[in-house]
Amino acid sequence: MKDVLLLWQKMHYNIYRFNVFTSIYVFGLPIMLLLKNKYILEIYKKKGISNPEKLIRSTVSNSKVGTINWLTDGFMILFIALICFSILNFITIISGYVIWKNWSPLVFILLIGIPAIVINYFALWQNDKYLTYFKEFEKETRNMKRKWAWISFSLILGIFGLLIFSFYCINHTSRSKNSTSQAKEKAINDILNKAEDSLYQGIDKDSIDANIETRLEKIEDSLYKNIN
C-alpha cells in the first residue's frame, strides 16, 4: 500500500512540475519575453521590483498558491475517475450488464467523481501532505527525478490504456454474444429446413403447393356462387 501511495504522490509531484514548466516556458513564454523589454523593466523598477521575471516564476512555481495547484489537482481527480470508469467496464464484462447504461449524467459524475476526490484527499491533500513530500522530492538527484518522471508518464499512459482496453473488451464481448446468437439461429433454421425436407421426401413439393392452391381457388369460387 505504501508503494502505491508513493507512486501516486510521485505522479502528483511530476504533473505539478510539468504544469509549472508549461506555464512558464510554453504558455507564459510571450509574457517572459515581454518582461525583458527595457521599458517594461523601468516600469517595474519604479514599483520597487528589480526582476519581474524572477518574481513571476517564483509565484507560478509556489506550491502553496496559484492556479497550477488547481490544475494539477484536476488532473489527479481525472485519473482516478478514469480508473473507476475502467473498473465499471470490467464489472460490465463479468456481469453481462452495462450498469451505468441508465445512469443520468449527474449520477454518473457523482459516482465516479466522489471516490476520485476522496481517494486524492487522503493520499495527497489531507493536512497539506503534498507540501511535505514535495520538499522531500525536491532534494532528490536529477537522475532520480528523471527516472520518476518517466515512471509517472508511463503510469498516465497505462491509465488511458486501461480505459481503452476495457472498452475494447466490452466491444469484443458484445460481438461474441451477437455472433453466438446468430450461429444458434442459423443452426435452428438448418434443423427446421431439414425437418421440412424430410416431410416432403419422395413427394414433389411443387405439385403439392399447386394442388393446395387449386383447392383454395375452388373453395373460393364455391363461396362466391353461394353468395350469388
Side-chain angles (χ1 to χ4, degrees):
M1 187 64 186
K2 289 183 178 180
D3 292 338
V4 175
L5 181 61
L6 176 63
L7 180 61
W8 197 249
Q9 291 173 345
K10 287 282 190 178
M11 181 175 163
H12 179 223
Y13 170 71
N14 282 297
I15 291 175
Y16 181 82
R17 288 182 60 205
F18 176 78
N19 287 334
V20 170
F21 175 82
T22 54
S23 297
I24 295 175
Y25 297 103
V26 180
F27 301 109
L29 183 60
I31 298 176
M32 293 300 174
L33 293 176
L34 184 63
L35 291 176
K36 294 180 179 180
N37 183 278
K38 61 180 182 178
Y39 299 105
I40 301 296
L41 289 173
E42 288 179 3
I43 294 173
Y44 274 97
K45 283 181 180 180
K46 292 178 180 179
K47 296 180 180 181
I49 302 173
S50 59
N51 193 339
E53 184 179 352
K54 182 179 179 181
L55 176 63
I56 290 177
R57 286 187 180 183
S58 62
T59 303
V60 169
S61 60
N62 190 329
S63 56
K64 293 183 180 181
V65 295
T67 56
I68 292 181
N69 281 336
W70 293 96
L71 179 62
T72 304
D73 293 343
F75 277 119
M76 302 308 293
I77 293 173
L78 173 65
F79 292 139
I80 290 291
L82 293 180
I83 294 173
C84 292
F85 196 7
S86 300
I87 293 173
L88 286 178
N89 284 342
F90 286 119
I91 294 174
T92 294
I93 296 168
I94 296 172
S95 63
Y97 175 73
V98 183
I99 58 178
W100 45 265
K101 183 178 181 180
N102 297 321
W103 292 358
S104 67
L106 179 60
V107 172
F108 182 82
I109 292 173
L110 289 176
L111 293 180
I112 295 294
I114 290 177
I117 293 174
V118 171
I119 291 172
N120 279 304
Y121 172 77
F122 288 105
L124 310 176
W125 309 324
Q126 188 181 31
N127 299 323
D128 290 334
K129 185 186 300 183
Y130 74 97
L131 294 176
T132 302
Y133 62 74
F134 269 25
K135 291 180 180 178
E136 294 178 1
F137 298 159
E138 284 292 342
K139 297 176 183 178
E140 293 178 342
T141 62
R142 180 176 296 180
N143 290 335
M144 185 62 68
K145 288 180 180 179
R146 186 181 295 112
K147 170 188 172 182
W148 278 106
W150 281 109
I151 293 174
S152 300
F153 179 69
S154 301
L155 180 59
I156 293 171
L157 291 180
I159 291 172
F160 282 105
L162 180 67
L163 181 66
I164 295 171
F165 179 69
S166 67
F167 278 110
Y168 168 79
C169 290
I170 287 179
N171 186 48
H172 180 72
T173 303
S174 177
R175 286 186 177 181
S176 298
K177 288 182 178 179
N178 290 336
S179 61
T180 301
S181 62
Q182 290 173 357
K184 288 182 179 179
E185 184 178 353
K186 185 178 182 301
I188 292 172
N189 289 331
D190 290 341
I191 293 172
L192 291 175
N193 291 332
K194 288 180 181 179
E196 183 181 4
D197 291 340
S198 65
L199 292 174
Y200 287 103
Q201 189 173 6
I203 304 174
D204 186 0
K205 181 179 177 181
D206 293 334
S207 64
I208 293 176
D209 293 338
N211 187 28
I212 292 174
E213 289 180 2
T214 303
R215 290 186 177 183
L216 288 174
E217 288 176 357
K218 289 181 179 179
I219 292 172
E220 185 179 3
D221 293 338
S222 65
L223 288 173
Y224 280 111
K225 286 180 182 180
N226 292 329
I227 292 173
N228 293 331

